[in-house]
Amino acid sequence: MTTAGPDELVIRRPDDWHVHLRDGPMLALAADQTARQFARAIVMPNLVPPVTTMAAAGAYRDRILAALPPERDFTPLMTAYLTDTIDPDEVAEGFARGFFTACKLYPAGATTNSDAGVTDVAMIHPVLERMQAIGMPLLVHGEVVSEDVDVFDREAVFIERVLTPLLSDFPNLKVVLEHITTSDAVQFVESSSANLAATITAHHLHMDRNDLFRGGLRPHAYCLPVAKRREHKGALRRAATSGNPKFFLGTDTAPHPKADKEADCGCAGIFSAPVALESYVRVFEEEDALDRFEAFASEFGPAFYGLPLNGSRVLLRRTAMTVPDLITRQDEQVVPFHAGETLGWKFEGVL
Ligand code: NCD
Ligand code: ZN
């Protein structure tokens, strides 16, 4: 980290280890907002139909790159969506040939476009064996979906019922527990082997479950896993700012059209890409840990994935920046995270 002046922060250009860039009319809006700030991003495969083949991943990567303005310097890292019937040969060949960087496990029914997800981890043991053998990371949406489990307990129960046995069956598999929301997850990751890491979103560092009901029902605060109690947020803030390399940046930016959020059955997902670095850096400043921000944002992710660090740098300036109420492009309208708030930092660009 360099401080170019008292109100400037220069860090190695970060990567985002968990994004939803969507497809169709939303893709150009979503991809550009991520590519503005981040050099690389792990692109989630929960399209309809899901990305399960090299051909689908390659075509999707091409659509992402074609949707970006030419000045963007951005590398999408593609993932395969695990289904009960996915072909282990396709996954392994896709990893070897650079089509896939990782595989994503969605428990069936857990979140947006997860209907084709895994019904029972036993179904994917053959593909997990292959991934373990070739060093291909498994990215996990860590929530059970059983009706008997309260929505606020789904992550903790997943750790106990699904993740613990999975890690003992595949001790050498590299696993990222995505978008963690509980102190249970923090403690589990801290006490597990170096093969288990976790991403932490900006919104889970800012919000607790009260924010869903602040003065009324707040659809733009709704995402999965849903925000938990205040003490869980505290545990996440301590983990993110601790300097432990097992915790790194993954926004889970997940745009949905404004009308689909403000509906009688509003979609889960928070669009944080437009203000991602401004949002995270504010947390590090509040926690008096600005000197640890660069490692969380730009070093620990590549180290876990075994990828090189980015060479370029970005400039953040300490200044009042009011977040727009709406991000639009052609007919698409999305409400960003922190809409209407004034943040104390502004992303000034890539140096
Ligand atoms: C994501 C989406 O909309 O694709 N939604 C969310 O609330 N995070 C899916 C996911 O990551 O669970
Ligand atoms: Zn996600």
Side-chain angles (χ1 to χ4, degrees), residues 245-315:
K246 288 169 143 258
F247 300 103
F248 49 83
L249 186 157
T251 61
D252 192 20
T253 179
H256 289 278
K258 183 176 192 290
D260 292 353
K261 295 282 294 172
E262 298 171 6
D264 58 3
C265 184
C267 294
I270 293 178
F271 184 41
S272 55
V275 290
L277 293 177
E278 292 94 330
S279 181
Y280 279 111
V281 77
R282 179 171 160 170
V283 171
F284 278 74
E285 182 167 53
E286 287 167 357
E287 297 292 324
D288 203 13
L290 272 183
D291 57 331
R292 296 188 176 154
F293 181 53
E294 182 174 42
F296 173 81
S298 316
E299 295 171 4
F300 296 156
F304 185 83
Y305 277 86
L307 293 170
L309 299 179
N310 296 314
S312 56
R313 289 188 157 58
V314 295
L315 171 63

Side-chain angles (χ1 to χ4, degrees), residues 18-20 44 46 104 106 111 141 178-179 224 252-254:
H18 185 129
V19 302
H20 299 270
M44 290 295 138
N46 61 331
K104 180 67 189 275
Y106 289 106
T111 189
H141 183 108
E178 299 288 334
H179 41 53
L224 288 170
D252 192 20
T253 179

